[in-house]
Amino acid sequence: SAVENVRDQMRAQYAKSLAAAPGTGDGDTAFLTGSYGSFLAAGRFDKEAEPVLRQAIDLHKKRKNFSQENTIELRADLAKVLAALGKQTEAANIYASIAEEAENTDYFSPEESSDLLHNYAAVLRKLKRTVEAEKIEVRARSSHNFKPEPNPST
């Protein structure tokens, strides 16, 4: 399929970049690895995406100009992938670590912050942590004063 062809092309670029600067945290390598991991996550290649996203986060941490903001989107992608793979506890821990960052920075749009918190709440529900999930859902609805559009089917 077309998505698999793009994945294969990105995999080749990723391998070439890692071979040129293995594990150095070089900016280009870190960003390419992150882009590849995010692409895999979006394409539902979850098993392949998990190690790539972990590697991208590690590469970003090695960069001289590292800040947590550099990895917030990658960590959100990783949490989503982990949840899809059934690794709910690890996904919940990652969501917890980035939920406050997402709400207190302008990095995410209000809609993205709300989506992140809804995903976190869904993971908490799977872990039978309903009270916590309800609190997160309230935060999601009020995140940056974001109000979801009414559902026309209701």
Side-chain angles (χ1 to χ4, degrees), residues 109-125:
S109 70
E111 293 85 359
E112 290 169 325
S113 291
S114 181
D115 286 347
L116 178 100
L117 292 169
H118 280 295
N119 290 342
Y120 180 23
V123 167
L124 291 173
R125 286 190 181 284

Side-chain angles (χ1 to χ4, degrees), residues 79-100:
K80 197 172 191 179
V81 164
L82 291 170
L85 293 173
K87 299 178 181 182
Q88 306 304 328
T89 301
E90 189 176 0
N93 291 338
I94 292 171
Y95 277 131
S97 75
I98 61 176
E100 190 171 321

